[in-house]
Amino acid sequence: MLYLVGLGLADEKDITVRGLEVVKKAERVYLEAYTAILLVEKEKLEAFYGRPVIVADRELVESGSDEILAGSDKADIAFLVVGDPFGATTHTDLVLRAREMGIATKSIPNASIMSGIGCTGLQLYNFGQTVSMVFFTENWKPSSYYDRVKENVQLGLHTLVLLDIKVKEPSLENLARGRIVYEPPRYMTVAQCAAQMLETEEERKEGAWGPDSLAIGAARVGADDQKLVAGTLKELAEVDMGRPLHSLVLLGRKAHDLEKDYIREFAVDAATFEASWQKGYGATS
């Protein structure tokens, strides 16, 4: 059987008891390592699991799925996913490939950023569509995410923005020259995300948000050094939240006063936070 095992958000101890039992008996253990990362090194996982772990990068997962699935009709294979196997990033393609080969699959769920973002004190049923923010380049600044966020804004709902990571990805320059040379890992920060959102609004000029729009930056959700910062997008564009991973939530206009009371503690500046809130937040319905 192919097991997709959720690892949770922070470290080697976040795996569930059921997930750990699967890992310990599996013939091979793969760690999906390009859509998200744990906050500990692979060696710590191996020490805790008592098993070697094979890092599965994008190339292996997308092009070498046969290698991962090989023998899983006769033995158990564990495919480890940071967060939940079907949370922020789905792995339905691997499951569908397994089905085509007549291989049974089972998913072991765990916490993901989709549920973990509740640490901000925002009510999860007040969230709209989740979007992803990619690194802008000088010649490529996609704004398709804007339309989905705008729909959330019009409904007064919060928006979770998942921030880009680049792990073992070739540079465009080297690809153009036919060479595979990988760039150093990069992880988008809350400050970069806020700055890019303001850049998109400046280009689109449709009023979905602005410098005074309230947002919450979240870093290392679920870890001992988890950090939350609330403020305007202008303020968050200057904030330093430390090491990855980061996420950002754009506050919905219908945010409840209870949510305000919770997040005010994390404000960059209490006076600025209150002034921005009074400009149109807190409508209840």
Side-chain angles (χ1 to χ4, degrees), residues 82-154:
V82 176
D84 183 86
F86 299 106
T89 301
T90 62
H91 290 86
T92 52
D93 53 343
L94 187 60
V95 172
L96 291 174
R97 178 64 179 149
R99 286 181 185 174
E100 291 174 359
M101 299 172 66
I103 297 168
T105 64
K106 184 173 289 187
S107 173
I108 311 296
N110 208 324
S112 76
I113 191 60
M114 305 290 281
S115 58
I117 200 63
C119 69
T120 57
L122 301 178
Q123 298 165 7
L124 293 180
Y125 50 77
N126 285 340
F127 278 75
Q129 304 169 86
T130 297
V131 300
S132 297
M133 176 69 75
V134 301
F135 282 109
F136 286 179
T137 68
E138 185 177 346
N139 302 314
W140 187 63
K141 301 179 180 182
S143 63
S144 57
Y145 76 95
Y146 186 95
D147 299 310
R148 285 192 287 162
V149 179
K150 186 177 179 181
E151 291 174 358
N152 291 345
V153 169
Q154 291 169 339

Side-chain angles (χ1 to χ4, degrees), residues 23 27-30 42 45-47 49-54 80:
V23 169
E27 184 172 285
R28 297 193 308 279
V29 181
Y30 292 93
K42 177 177 77 83
L45 298 183
E46 293 177 325
Y49 300 156
R51 297 294 312 282
V53 173
I54 304 166
L80 311 183

Side-chain angles (χ1 to χ4, degrees), residues 8 17 31 46 61 66 76 84 86 88 91 95 99 115 121 131 137 151 183 199-200 204 220 255 265 269 281:
V17 173
L31 172 64
E46 293 177 325
V61 176
D66 287 351
D76 291 333
D84 183 86
F86 299 106
H91 290 86
V95 172
R99 286 181 185 174
S115 58
V131 300
T137 68
E151 291 174 358
E183 297 180 330
E199 187 175 351
T200 300
R204 297 283 293 259
R220 301 171 299 283
E265 176 184 349
D269 182 281
Y281 292 88

